[in-house]
Amino acid sequence: MPAKREHWASRIGFILAAAGSAVGLGNLWKFPYITWHNNGGAFVLVYLACVAAIGLPVMMAEILLGRRTQMSPVPAFEKLGNRGWGLVGFLGVLTGFVILGYYSVIAGWSIKSFIECVGWSINGYQQPADTAFGKFLSDGPLQLLLAFIFLFGTALIVWRGVSKGIEQAAKFLMPILLLILGYLVVRVMFLPGIGQTFHFLFRPNFSELPAAGVLEALGHAFFTLSLGMGVMITYGSYMHKRESIARGAGFVVFLDTLIALLACVIMYTIIFSVPGVAESVSGSTVGMLFVTLPRLFYTELSGGVLIGPLFYVLVAFAALTSTISVLEVIVSFFIDKLGFKRSTSTVIGTAAVAVCTFLSALSLGAVGFLSGFEIFAGKSGVLSTLDHIAANYLLPVGGLLTTLFVGWFVSRKISADELGMLDESGDPTFSFKLWLFFIRFIAPMAILAVIIAVILGKDFS
Ligand code: TRP
């Protein structure tokens, strides 16, 4: 038998770790970018609806699976279902390899941007050549170094365990992240572009929302809340029985959404404040976070010497608490299912991820045959292909199966009891019935719509 299950040492432990998992590159890089492309307002509203109507109920379902069984995804599905359902957990572990394989590479870029900004803050800003970022991407050894530094840092924390590693890291990193974010928000409030930002974000105009934007909003809700691959099952399994799942999930969803919106406020306001920049941003994906912003920090903002480095500390910390959660799913699988020690599991898990990372890091131009192939139209190379597979196929399928499992196979009694939603006479409360309705009908149908849309050719990555 494995040793007694580890638990978060404090109530805030789960919340900070789960929020840390949710808040990541999805909030700081992907959300501002897709919101920009979908013309703001109406897209934001649809996204908020997806988060509330699907994200929140599904997160509660994942946490309840983990907490009820006190097990990581594979044994959790097996215990409440059967061996076949265990495959859903296994799919999550596989998805973990895929996500971590490319996410660590992009996360590594934040280290580079940070070092570059520190250099500019000390020595004065020097405008990089237009080709500089492309050169950086195709510098194989540098990409490998940065991604492996990131992966190694992630592994060190996971190695230390649930409360001593993950919880401690989240307790240290998340407050700093919030402070930096708060400072940046206050700072941009006084820039001339703030009015235009609010107009863009909060004035819905549905004629400007591309039809595909609705499904993109849903797909992103899954990614940004870390749903569909068992992170919340795993983190839920370390949660004490006395805590409220609905409250924990509600807080994580709220914080994640708030931070995504604040990231937009910060980035858009800077962009809108400089004439002519808004038009040139729209064309590129990585451009906004890693190319446009650093330039504006130094050329257009007073105090940029401080904001520049701080901003990339923020990005790195947000990414780190996310990569930790993905690795933990993999490591807890080895611990629970194969009976390995945490240290052994961490080494094996990280080594396996490193293979994916290795291939991704070299697929940005460094190695021709890794960069050039195209399985999905417009997605060339390993990194884009992995991102595409994860966001478009693995997460929605994992999410759909999880929802169906909890909604239709786990008994109502177990769910209501675990959610603490039974009244004095032992009957499910109204909140429970509402939740069940969303889990049984709304969420699966919406996810199915995404999957069908993907099959018909819409891309969410
Ligand atoms: N939610 C994180 C982000 O927004 C990424 C992430 C971490 C994730 N763990 C996950 C995405 C599990 C999907 C599944 O950056």
PDB file of all heavy atoms in Angstrom, residues 401-430:
ATOM      1  N   LEU A 401     -15.909  13.401 -21.648  1.00  0.00           N
ATOM      2  CA  LEU A 401     -16.025  12.100 -20.976  1.00  0.00           C
ATOM      3  C   LEU A 401     -16.150  12.278 -19.460  1.00  0.00           C
ATOM      4  O   LEU A 401     -16.929  11.583 -18.804  1.00  0.00           O
ATOM      5  CB  LEU A 401     -14.828  11.216 -21.332  1.00  0.00           C
ATOM      6  CG  LEU A 401     -14.772  10.799 -22.813  1.00  0.00           C
ATOM      7  CD1 LEU A 401     -13.466  10.098 -23.144  1.00  0.00           C
ATOM      8  CD2 LEU A 401     -15.958   9.888 -23.149  1.00  0.00           C
ATOM      9  N   THR A 402     -15.396  13.233 -18.918  1.00  0.00           N
ATOM     10  CA  THR A 402     -15.482  13.486 -17.472  1.00  0.00           C
ATOM     11  C   THR A 402     -16.891  13.933 -17.093  1.00  0.00           C
ATOM     12  O   THR A 402     -17.473  13.474 -16.104  1.00  0.00           O
ATOM     13  CB  THR A 402     -14.483  14.590 -17.064  1.00  0.00           C
ATOM     14  OG1 THR A 402     -13.187  14.222 -17.524  1.00  0.00           O
ATOM     15  CG2 THR A 402     -14.450  14.774 -15.555  1.00  0.00           C
ATOM     16  N   THR A 403     -17.434  14.846 -17.909  1.00  0.00           N
ATOM     17  CA  THR A 403     -18.768  15.357 -17.618  1.00  0.00           C
ATOM     18  C   THR A 403     -19.815  14.255 -17.686  1.00  0.00           C
ATOM     19  O   THR A 403     -20.677  14.143 -16.817  1.00  0.00           O
ATOM     20  CB  THR A 403     -19.140  16.440 -18.657  1.00  0.00           C
ATOM     21  OG1 THR A 403     -18.006  17.252 -18.861  1.00  0.00           O
ATOM     22  CG2 THR A 403     -20.273  17.296 -18.178  1.00  0.00           C
ATOM     23  N   LEU A 404     -19.724  13.426 -18.726  1.00  0.00           N
ATOM     24  CA  LEU A 404     -20.684  12.330 -18.861  1.00  0.00           C
ATOM     25  C   LEU A 404     -20.556  11.366 -17.689  1.00  0.00           C
ATOM     26  O   LEU A 404     -21.550  10.884 -17.136  1.00  0.00           O
ATOM     27  CB  LEU A 404     -20.468  11.586 -20.188  1.00  0.00           C
ATOM     28  CG  LEU A 404     -20.818  12.387 -21.447  1.00  0.00           C
ATOM     29  CD1 LEU A 404     -20.472  11.603 -22.706  1.00  0.00           C
ATOM     30  CD2 LEU A 404     -22.303  12.781 -21.449  1.00  0.00           C
ATOM     31  N   PHE A 405     -19.326  11.097 -17.302  1.00  0.00           N
ATOM     32  CA  PHE A 405     -19.088  10.159 -16.193  1.00  0.00           C
ATOM     33  C   PHE A 405     -19.732  10.669 -14.907  1.00  0.00           C
ATOM     34  O   PHE A 405     -20.515   9.970 -14.265  1.00  0.00           O
ATOM     35  CB  PHE A 405     -17.578   9.970 -16.010  1.00  0.00           C
ATOM     36  CG  PHE A 405     -17.217   9.043 -14.891  1.00  0.00           C
ATOM     37  CD1 PHE A 405     -17.500   7.691 -14.989  1.00  0.00           C
ATOM     38  CD2 PHE A 405     -16.590   9.513 -13.748  1.00  0.00           C
ATOM     39  CE1 PHE A 405     -17.171   6.816 -13.964  1.00  0.00           C
ATOM     40  CE2 PHE A 405     -16.259   8.650 -12.715  1.00  0.00           C
ATOM     41  CZ  PHE A 405     -16.550   7.299 -12.825  1.00  0.00           C
ATOM     42  N   VAL A 406     -19.401  11.904 -14.554  1.00  0.00           N
ATOM     43  CA  VAL A 406     -19.927  12.432 -13.293  1.00  0.00           C
ATOM     44  C   VAL A 406     -21.438  12.637 -13.381  1.00  0.00           C
ATOM     45  O   VAL A 406     -22.177  12.356 -12.442  1.00  0.00           O
ATOM     46  CB  VAL A 406     -19.220  13.759 -12.914  1.00  0.00           C
ATOM     47  CG1 VAL A 406     -19.847  14.365 -11.671  1.00  0.00           C
ATOM     48  CG2 VAL A 406     -17.738  13.509 -12.682  1.00  0.00           C
ATOM     49  N   GLY A 407     -21.922  13.099 -14.532  1.00  0.00           N
ATOM     50  CA  GLY A 407     -23.344  13.378 -14.656  1.00  0.00           C
ATOM     51  C   GLY A 407     -24.217  12.134 -14.684  1.00  0.00           C
ATOM     52  O   GLY A 407     -25.287  12.108 -14.096  1.00  0.00           O
ATOM     53  N   TRP A 408     -23.746  11.099 -15.369  1.00  0.00           N
ATOM     54  CA  TRP A 408     -24.622   9.954 -15.641  1.00  0.00           C
ATOM     55  C   TRP A 408     -24.214   8.660 -14.950  1.00  0.00           C
ATOM     56  O   TRP A 408     -25.011   7.745 -14.844  1.00  0.00           O
ATOM     57  CB  TRP A 408     -24.737   9.714 -17.149  1.00  0.00           C
ATOM     58  CG  TRP A 408     -25.363  10.884 -17.852  1.00  0.00           C
ATOM     59  CD1 TRP A 408     -24.717  11.918 -18.442  1.00  0.00           C
ATOM     60  CD2 TRP A 408     -26.767  11.163 -17.998  1.00  0.00           C
ATOM     61  NE1 TRP A 408     -25.609  12.830 -18.964  1.00  0.00           N
ATOM     62  CE2 TRP A 408     -26.885  12.375 -18.703  1.00  0.00           C
ATOM     63  CE3 TRP A 408     -27.933  10.497 -17.598  1.00  0.00           C
ATOM     64  CZ2 TRP A 408     -28.102  12.956 -19.025  1.00  0.00           C
ATOM     65  CZ3 TRP A 408     -29.153  11.061 -17.917  1.00  0.00           C
ATOM     66  CH2 TRP A 408     -29.228  12.274 -18.624  1.00  0.00           C
ATOM     67  N   PHE A 409     -22.975   8.535 -14.518  1.00  0.00           N
ATOM     68  CA  PHE A 409     -22.545   7.261 -13.926  1.00  0.00           C
ATOM     69  C   PHE A 409     -22.328   7.324 -12.423  1.00  0.00           C
ATOM     70  O   PHE A 409     -22.600   6.360 -11.717  1.00  0.00           O
ATOM     71  CB  PHE A 409     -21.276   6.745 -14.621  1.00  0.00           C
ATOM     72  CG  PHE A 409     -21.570   6.194 -15.972  1.00  0.00           C
ATOM     73  CD1 PHE A 409     -21.638   7.039 -17.079  1.00  0.00           C
ATOM     74  CD2 PHE A 409     -21.824   4.847 -16.159  1.00  0.00           C
ATOM     75  CE1 PHE A 409     -21.952   6.555 -18.328  1.00  0.00           C
ATOM     76  CE2 PHE A 409     -22.137   4.348 -17.413  1.00  0.00           C
ATOM     77  CZ  PHE A 409     -22.200   5.200 -18.499  1.00  0.00           C
ATOM     78  N   VAL A 410     -21.802   8.442 -11.948  1.00  0.00           N
ATOM     79  CA  VAL A 410     -21.602   8.555 -10.506  1.00  0.00           C
ATOM     80  C   VAL A 410     -22.977   8.812  -9.883  1.00  0.00           C
ATOM     81  O   VAL A 410     -23.757   9.608 -10.406  1.00  0.00           O
ATOM     82  CB  VAL A 410     -20.640   9.721 -10.178  1.00  0.00           C
ATOM     83  CG1 VAL A 410     -20.539   9.927  -8.677  1.00  0.00           C
ATOM     84  CG2 VAL A 410     -19.268   9.443 -10.773  1.00  0.00           C
ATOM     85  N   SER A 411     -23.267   8.132  -8.773  1.00  0.00           N
ATOM     86  CA  SER A 411     -24.622   8.268  -8.229  1.00  0.00           C
ATOM     87  C   SER A 411     -24.847   9.680  -7.692  1.00  0.00           C
ATOM     88  O   SER A 411     -23.928  10.336  -7.198  1.00  0.00           O
ATOM     89  CB  SER A 411     -24.859   7.237  -7.123  1.00  0.00           C
ATOM     90  OG  SER A 411     -24.333   7.708  -5.906  1.00  0.00           O
ATOM     91  N   ARG A 412     -26.096  10.120  -7.798  1.00  0.00           N
ATOM     92  CA  ARG A 412     -26.443  11.471  -7.331  1.00  0.00           C
ATOM     93  C   ARG A 412     -26.124  11.622  -5.861  1.00  0.00           C
ATOM     94  O   ARG A 412     -25.743  12.689  -5.392  1.00  0.00           O
ATOM     95  CB  ARG A 412     -27.940  11.710  -7.550  1.00  0.00           C
ATOM     96  CG  ARG A 412     -28.342  11.734  -8.995  1.00  0.00           C
ATOM     97  CD  ARG A 412     -29.847  11.597  -9.118  1.00  0.00           C
ATOM     98  NE  ARG A 412     -30.526  12.615  -8.329  1.00  0.00           N
ATOM     99  CZ  ARG A 412     -31.388  13.497  -8.831  1.00  0.00           C
ATOM    100  NH1 ARG A 412     -31.664  13.485 -10.102  1.00  0.00           N
ATOM    101  NH2 ARG A 412     -31.961  14.384  -8.050  1.00  0.00           N
ATOM    102  N   LYS A 413     -26.310  10.524  -5.138  1.00  0.00           N
ATOM    103  CA  LYS A 413     -26.097  10.547  -3.696  1.00  0.00           C
ATOM    104  C   LYS A 413     -24.640  10.902  -3.388  1.00  0.00           C
ATOM    105  O   LYS A 413     -24.346  11.767  -2.562  1.00  0.00           O
ATOM    106  CB  LYS A 413     -26.439   9.148  -3.162  1.00  0.00           C
ATOM    107  CG  LYS A 413     -26.508   9.036  -1.698  1.00  0.00           C
ATOM    108  CD  LYS A 413     -27.961   8.794  -1.236  1.00  0.00           C
ATOM    109  CE  LYS A 413     -28.113   9.075   0.240  1.00  0.00           C
ATOM    110  NZ  LYS A 413     -28.574  10.390   0.574  1.00  0.00           N
ATOM    111  N   ILE A 414     -23.735  10.208  -4.071  1.00  0.00           N
ATOM    112  CA  ILE A 414     -22.310  10.449  -3.847  1.00  0.00           C
ATOM    113  C   ILE A 414     -21.967  11.896  -4.186  1.00  0.00           C
ATOM    114  O   ILE A 414     -21.325  12.604  -3.416  1.00  0.00           O
ATOM    115  CB  ILE A 414     -21.458   9.488  -4.712  1.00  0.00           C
ATOM    116  CG1 ILE A 414     -21.559   8.071  -4.148  1.00  0.00           C
ATOM    117  CG2 ILE A 414     -20.012   9.947  -4.765  1.00  0.00           C
ATOM    118  CD1 ILE A 414     -20.657   7.070  -4.845  1.00  0.00           C
ATOM    119  N   SER A 415     -22.418  12.353  -5.356  1.00  0.00           N
ATOM    120  CA  SER A 415     -22.087  13.721  -5.776  1.00  0.00           C
ATOM    121  C   SER A 415     -22.637  14.746  -4.794  1.00  0.00           C
ATOM    122  O   SER A 415     -21.917  15.650  -4.359  1.00  0.00           O
ATOM    123  CB  SER A 415     -22.660  14.009  -7.160  1.00  0.00           C
ATOM    124  OG  SER A 415     -22.129  13.120  -8.100  1.00  0.00           O
ATOM    125  N   ALA A 416     -23.919  14.594  -4.440  1.00  0.00           N
ATOM    126  CA  ALA A 416     -24.541  15.584  -3.557  1.00  0.00           C
ATOM    127  C   ALA A 416     -23.855  15.594  -2.199  1.00  0.00           C
ATOM    128  O   ALA A 416     -23.589  16.646  -1.615  1.00  0.00           O
ATOM    129  CB  ALA A 416     -26.028  15.286  -3.396  1.00  0.00           C
ATOM    130  N   ASP A 417     -23.509  14.415  -1.725  1.00  0.00           N
ATOM    131  CA  ASP A 417     -22.841  14.322  -0.434  1.00  0.00           C
ATOM    132  C   ASP A 417     -21.475  15.004  -0.492  1.00  0.00           C
ATOM    133  O   ASP A 417     -21.110  15.807   0.370  1.00  0.00           O
ATOM    134  CB  ASP A 417     -22.695  12.840  -0.072  1.00  0.00           C
ATOM    135  CG  ASP A 417     -21.920  12.659   1.223  1.00  0.00           C
ATOM    136  OD1 ASP A 417     -22.280  13.341   2.190  1.00  0.00           O
ATOM    137  OD2 ASP A 417     -20.966  11.853   1.251  1.00  0.00           O
ATOM    138  N   GLU A 418     -20.722  14.704  -1.542  1.00  0.00           N
ATOM    139  CA  GLU A 418     -19.365  15.247  -1.628  1.00  0.00           C
ATOM    140  C   GLU A 418     -19.388  16.762  -1.813  1.00  0.00           C
ATOM    141  O   GLU A 418     -18.525  17.474  -1.322  1.00  0.00           O
ATOM    142  CB  GLU A 418     -18.630  14.578  -2.799  1.00  0.00           C
ATOM    143  CG  GLU A 418     -17.127  14.702  -2.746  1.00  0.00           C
ATOM    144  CD  GLU A 418     -16.526  14.091  -1.487  1.00  0.00           C
ATOM    145  OE1 GLU A 418     -17.042  13.058  -1.010  1.00  0.00           O
ATOM    146  OE2 GLU A 418     -15.556  14.662  -0.970  1.00  0.00           O
ATOM    147  N   LEU A 419     -20.402  17.258  -2.519  1.00  0.00           N
ATOM    148  CA  LEU A 419     -20.497  18.705  -2.724  1.00  0.00           C
ATOM    149  C   LEU A 419     -21.096  19.398  -1.507  1.00  0.00           C
ATOM    150  O   LEU A 419     -21.190  20.627  -1.464  1.00  0.00           O
ATOM    151  CB  LEU A 419     -21.352  19.015  -3.963  1.00  0.00           C
ATOM    152  CG  LEU A 419     -20.751  18.625  -5.321  1.00  0.00           C
ATOM    153  CD1 LEU A 419     -21.756  18.860  -6.433  1.00  0.00           C
ATOM    154  CD2 LEU A 419     -19.477  19.415  -5.594  1.00  0.00           C
ATOM    155  N   GLY A 420     -21.531  18.602  -0.527  1.00  0.00           N
ATOM    156  CA  GLY A 420     -22.157  19.191   0.664  1.00  0.00           C
ATOM    157  C   GLY A 420     -23.499  19.819   0.323  1.00  0.00           C
ATOM    158  O   GLY A 420     -23.877  20.848   0.881  1.00  0.00           O
ATOM    159  N   MET A 421     -24.197  19.229  -0.641  1.00  0.00           N
ATOM    160  CA  MET A 421     -25.459  19.824  -1.082  1.00  0.00           C
ATOM    161  C   MET A 421     -26.658  18.924  -0.757  1.00  0.00           C
ATOM    162  O   MET A 421     -27.469  18.596  -1.619  1.00  0.00           O
ATOM    163  CB  MET A 421     -25.403  20.122  -2.582  1.00  0.00           C
ATOM    164  CG  MET A 421     -24.440  21.243  -2.922  1.00  0.00           C
ATOM    165  SD  MET A 421     -24.398  21.557  -4.677  1.00  0.00           S
ATOM    166  CE  MET A 421     -23.400  23.045  -4.744  1.00  0.00           C
ATOM    167  N   LEU A 422     -26.706  18.487   0.489  1.00  0.00           N
ATOM    168  CA  LEU A 422     -27.873  17.735   0.979  1.00  0.00           C
ATOM    169  C   LEU A 422     -28.515  18.551   2.091  1.00  0.00           C
ATOM    170  O   LEU A 422     -27.807  19.130   2.916  1.00  0.00           O
ATOM    171  CB  LEU A 422     -27.424  16.377   1.533  1.00  0.00           C
ATOM    172  CG  LEU A 422     -26.881  15.352   0.533  1.00  0.00           C
ATOM    173  CD1 LEU A 422     -26.208  14.191   1.258  1.00  0.00           C
ATOM    174  CD2 LEU A 422     -27.988  14.837  -0.369  1.00  0.00           C
ATOM    175  N   ASP A 423     -29.843  18.600   2.094  1.00  0.00           N
ATOM    176  CA  ASP A 423     -30.471  19.351   3.182  1.00  0.00           C
ATOM    177  C   ASP A 423     -30.619  18.462   4.420  1.00  0.00           C
ATOM    178  O   ASP A 423     -30.171  17.311   4.425  1.00  0.00           O
ATOM    179  CB  ASP A 423     -31.809  19.949   2.736  1.00  0.00           C
ATOM    180  CG  ASP A 423     -32.794  18.867   2.312  1.00  0.00           C
ATOM    181  OD1 ASP A 423     -32.591  17.695   2.699  1.00  0.00           O
ATOM    182  OD2 ASP A 423     -33.754  19.190   1.589  1.00  0.00           O
ATOM    183  N   GLU A 424     -31.273  18.976   5.459  1.00  0.00           N
ATOM    184  CA  GLU A 424     -31.332  18.235   6.733  1.00  0.00           C
ATOM    185  C   GLU A 424     -31.962  16.852   6.586  1.00  0.00           C
ATOM    186  O   GLU A 424     -31.549  15.897   7.219  1.00  0.00           O
ATOM    187  CB  GLU A 424     -32.117  19.018   7.796  1.00  0.00           C
ATOM    188  CG  GLU A 424     -31.352  20.173   8.398  1.00  0.00           C
ATOM    189  CD  GLU A 424     -31.754  21.485   7.746  1.00  0.00           C
ATOM    190  OE1 GLU A 424     -32.935  21.868   7.870  1.00  0.00           O
ATOM    191  OE2 GLU A 424     -30.900  22.116   7.091  1.00  0.00           O
ATOM    192  N   SER A 425     -32.956  16.761   5.703  1.00  0.00           N
ATOM    193  CA  SER A 425     -33.619  15.461   5.569  1.00  0.00           C
ATOM    194  C   SER A 425     -32.879  14.539   4.587  1.00  0.00           C
ATOM    195  O   SER A 425     -33.370  13.470   4.238  1.00  0.00           O
ATOM    196  CB  SER A 425     -35.069  15.664   5.132  1.00  0.00           C
ATOM    197  OG  SER A 425     -35.111  16.551   4.037  1.00  0.00           O
ATOM    198  N   GLY A 426     -31.714  14.972   4.138  1.00  0.00           N
ATOM    199  CA  GLY A 426     -30.917  14.096   3.285  1.00  0.00           C
ATOM    200  C   GLY A 426     -31.264  14.159   1.807  1.00  0.00           C
ATOM    201  O   GLY A 426     -30.803  13.347   1.012  1.00  0.00           O
ATOM    202  N   ASP A 427     -32.061  15.151   1.421  1.00  0.00           N
ATOM    203  CA  ASP A 427     -32.392  15.295   0.003  1.00  0.00           C
ATOM    204  C   ASP A 427     -31.472  16.312  -0.653  1.00  0.00           C
ATOM    205  O   ASP A 427     -31.006  17.251  -0.008  1.00  0.00           O
ATOM    206  CB  ASP A 427     -33.843  15.767  -0.150  1.00  0.00           C
ATOM    207  CG  ASP A 427     -34.816  14.731   0.365  1.00  0.00           C
ATOM    208  OD1 ASP A 427     -34.546  13.527   0.166  1.00  0.00           O
ATOM    209  OD2 ASP A 427     -35.835  15.124   0.983  1.00  0.00           O
ATOM    210  N   PRO A 428     -31.220  16.117  -1.956  1.00  0.00           N
ATOM    211  CA  PRO A 428     -30.375  17.082  -2.663  1.00  0.00           C
ATOM    212  C   PRO A 428     -31.003  18.481  -2.653  1.00  0.00           C
ATOM    213  O   PRO A 428     -32.220  18.607  -2.797  1.00  0.00           O
ATOM    214  CB  PRO A 428     -30.323  16.540  -4.089  1.00  0.00           C
ATOM    215  CG  PRO A 428     -30.794  15.141  -4.030  1.00  0.00           C
ATOM    216  CD  PRO A 428     -31.645  15.011  -2.816  1.00  0.00           C
ATOM    217  N   THR A 429     -30.177  19.487  -2.482  1.00  0.00           N
ATOM    218  CA  THR A 429     -30.682  20.859  -2.459  1.00  0.00           C
ATOM    219  C   THR A 429     -30.941  21.361  -3.875  1.00  0.00           C
ATOM    220  O   THR A 429     -30.569  20.709  -4.851  1.00  0.00           O
ATOM    221  CB  THR A 429     -29.654  21.799  -1.823  1.00  0.00           C
ATOM    222  OG1 THR A 429     -28.459  21.698  -2.607  1.00  0.00           O
ATOM    223  CG2 THR A 429     -29.356  21.413  -0.384  1.00  0.00           C
ATOM    224  N   PHE A 430     -31.540  22.539  -3.947  1.00  0.00           N
ATOM    225  CA  PHE A 430     -31.798  23.141  -5.255  1.00  0.00           C
ATOM    226  C   PHE A 430     -30.487  23.396  -6.004  1.00  0.00           C
ATOM    227  O   PHE A 430     -30.388  23.144  -7.206  1.00  0.00           O
ATOM    228  CB  PHE A 430     -32.583  24.447  -5.086  1.00  0.00           C
ATOM    229  CG  PHE A 430     -32.752  25.179  -6.385  1.00  0.00           C
ATOM    230  CD1 PHE A 430     -33.634  24.695  -7.349  1.00  0.00           C
ATOM    231  CD2 PHE A 430     -32.007  26.317  -6.660  1.00  0.00           C
ATOM    232  CE1 PHE A 430     -33.777  25.347  -8.563  1.00  0.00           C
ATOM    233  CE2 PHE A 430     -32.146  26.968  -7.875  1.00  0.00           C
ATOM    234  CZ  PHE A 430     -33.038  26.487  -8.823  1.00  0.00           C
TER     235      PHE A 430
END
